[in-house]
Amino acid sequence: MAHPESLSPMAQMFEEFDLTTEHAQHIFGINFEPLNHVLKQLPIPFDISVNKAVFIMWLSAFLSFMLIFYAGRGRGLVASGLRNAMEALFQFVKFDIVDTNLGHEGQKWLPFIGGLFFFILFNNLLGLIPAGFSPGSNINVTASLAILVLFAILIAGMKKQGVIGYWLHLAPGGLPKWIYIILYPIEVISLLAKPFSLAVRLFANLLAGHIVIFALLAMIILFGIYVAPLSLAFGVIMYAFEIFVAFIQAYIFAILSSVYIGASIHPEH
Amino acid sequence: MIALQSNLMFWTIVSFGILVLLLGKFGFGPLVQILEARERKIRESIEQAERAREEAERLLKEYEDKLAEAKVEAQKLLAEGKQLGESLRAEIIAKSEEEAKRMIAKAEEQIERDVEQAIKELRAEVANLSLEVAAKVIEKELDEKAHAQLIEKYLSEVGRI
Amino acid sequence: MEGINLAHLGSGLAIGIGALGPGIGVGVLVGKALEGMARQPEATGTLRTTMFIGVAFAEAIALYSFVIAILLFTK
């Protein structure tokens, strides 16, 4: 981004995703600049300023909690409408994602995995609202979540086998000693590659979806108004696909996290 | 593009951490309970339905057995009744035939007796008449002497008796 | 200017070539999963879950090249 004034529309769009422009301070008519002024006064050694991605994350955390809370408050055995939808999603998370991969320990990990699923899902869906922003399309967000997953993997394994035992059993036993010199770094790298791939997958999927829609619409600017119907039609199709991707990526993130945590709890499998 | 932005990382971890804590404390517990309650309810309902079905099947079988029994009973009763009726009829017929025979015999006897009586009476009448006729005839031809002789003879005969 | 053009070319090549392998991989994966579903319809649920995980792994490779492409593009 060497010459800001000569940036192509594409590069300008990347600036938007970087949240470095002043557009990042506004969303849905809310301005965060006064709040950021106050936050800057706090004695915290790093920047904690609020921007639209942060706001969307708050919103998504709030929404996922309120909706699940609402679903859990329901009386009567037969749910309908929104409660039914939330229960279906929750049932899916509990039985298809958590219980199949974590087994008996599922109950303990349910808030974490379920939180991941609903947090990412609502992030993605809120990101699809026009004038919204998808926090998942910034790698810092996905990387933070992935780091939390990495900690979860480590904690799950260490709880099961002890702190030293976990690191000792990282590589499979029963091999000649010299192989471990090669194998151990590989195992450590594969351990780190798991959250890395999680972070990059979510980030790149969401970013790619938004870029494709943007590129389709940017064709109107590049080639004139006559391509508008075509690019709009494809834009709508991609948008529908993005809704699918929003669900799929939340599902993938949650199920891979639970697979990794499950593999850490039951290393023999 | 890929630069560290501490504010995003901070807020991600904070908002997600709060979400997980809240979900663990208030969110998923009731939902799990609801699901378990529903599961229990459904299982109970299915079991109850199964039990009810078994009960119904048992009752149905019982009724069918009873019905079959009743049918057999009815058949038996019918057969018995038929037999009874048959024998009764035969008896009645035999009795009435006998009665009829007896009446016929009685009537015949009566008739015979009447005829005999009639014959006897007739015979007596005829004897009387012939005696009268004979007396009239004899009255003219018998003379005094012969007459007396005859009376004597009769008297002696009577005296012997 | 020369450097930026080369970087843009490299970015296009990165995503183009990088998407080849994962594309084939996802195709094979889904095809095989479909075959398995057709052969054993009762295992559809498990197969679908495993298929999605596999697709995610294959897709990740294309996404790495996508990230590289973005890095090159915004250079």
Side-chain angles (χ1 to χ4, degrees), chain A residues 1-8 11-12 15 18, chain B residues 1, chain C residues 1 3-4 8 71-75:
Chain A
M1 285 167 245
H3 316 286
E5 61 283 343
S6 68
L7 281 177
S8 63
Q12 278 178 33
E15 295 252 283
D18 263 349
Chain B
M1 188 68 212
Chain C
M1 216 49 204
I4 286 177
H8 284 184
L71 286 178
L72 283 171
F73 188 81
T74 56
K75 195 178 164 58

Side-chain angles (χ1 to χ4, degrees), chain B residues 1-13:
Chain B
M1 188 68 212
I2 295 181
L4 192 74
Q5 284 164 306
S6 59
N7 57 336
L8 281 177
M9 302 192 81
F10 173 75
W11 284 117
T12 307
I13 290 174

Side-chain angles (χ1 to χ4, degrees), chain B residues 82-159:
Chain B
K82 224 178 194 173
Q83 206 181 349
L84 194 68
E86 203 77 27
S87 66
L88 219 61
R89 204 180 98 201
E91 202 175 307
I92 286 167
I93 287 173
K95 221 184 227 169
S96 53
E97 263 174 6
E98 199 181 321
E99 185 87 358
K101 233 181 250 170
R102 206 162 52 83
M103 279 168 95
I104 288 169
K106 212 171 163 186
E108 270 174 356
E109 202 181 330
Q110 183 84 23
I111 289 166
E112 211 161 285
R113 223 172 30 236
D114 283 3
V115 167
E116 230 162 73
Q117 180 106 10
I119 289 171
K120 217 185 263 173
E121 273 174 16
L122 203 60
R123 194 172 283 157
E125 194 83 0
V126 167
N128 263 358
L129 275 179
S130 49
L131 204 61
E132 246 171 68
V133 170
K136 275 193 182 147
V137 171
I138 292 169
E139 215 175 312
K140 278 178 187 162
E141 289 183 3
L142 236 44
D143 54 348
E144 283 297 316
K145 196 189 157 194
H147 202 180
Q149 215 177 339
L150 197 59
I151 290 169
E152 199 67 26
K153 192 184 164 201
Y154 274 116
L155 281 177
S156 65
E157 257 173 42
V158 169

Side-chain angles (χ1 to χ4, degrees), chain A residues 1 18-19 46-49 51 53-54 57-58 61 64-65 68 71-74 77 87 90 110-112 115-116 119 138 140-141 144 148, chain B residues 1-13 15-17 19-20 22-24 26-28 30-32 34-39 41:
Chain A
M1 285 167 245
D18 263 349
L19 295 167
F46 48 86
D47 175 29
I48 56 163
S49 62
N51 54 32
V54 174
M57 282 192 286
W58 289 350
S64 28
F65 176 69
I68 288 169
R73 279 292 154 282
L77 283 169
E87 271 180 24
F90 171 72
L110 182 61
F112 183 69
L116 274 178
F119 187 64
N138 190 300
N140 290 286
V141 174
S144 308
L148 289 178
Chain B
M1 188 68 212
I2 295 181
L4 192 74
Q5 284 164 306
S6 59
N7 57 336
L8 281 177
M9 302 192 81
F10 173 75
W11 284 117
T12 307
I13 290 174
S15 40
F16 177 69
L19 174 64
V20 169
L22 284 179
L23 284 182
F26 309 108
F28 284 153
L31 215 46
V32 171
I34 282 179
L35 288 184
E36 272 169 4
R38 183 176 307 157
E39 195 184 320
K41 175 93 184 167

Side-chain angles (χ1 to χ4, degrees), chain B residues 46-83:
Chain B
I46 289 174
E47 270 170 13
Q48 210 169 341
E50 191 71 19
R51 269 205 304 278
R53 200 179 59 84
E54 270 168 18
E55 179 75 22
E57 259 174 19
R58 202 178 56 74
L59 279 178
L60 184 68
K61 193 153 164 44
E62 213 167 85
Y63 285 139
E64 270 173 358
D65 284 357
K66 262 186 192 161
L67 201 65
E69 224 167 77
K71 221 177 233 173
V72 168
E73 189 82 6
Q75 210 74 36
K76 217 169 76 185
L77 278 178
L78 200 66
E80 241 167 46
K82 224 178 194 173
Q83 206 181 349

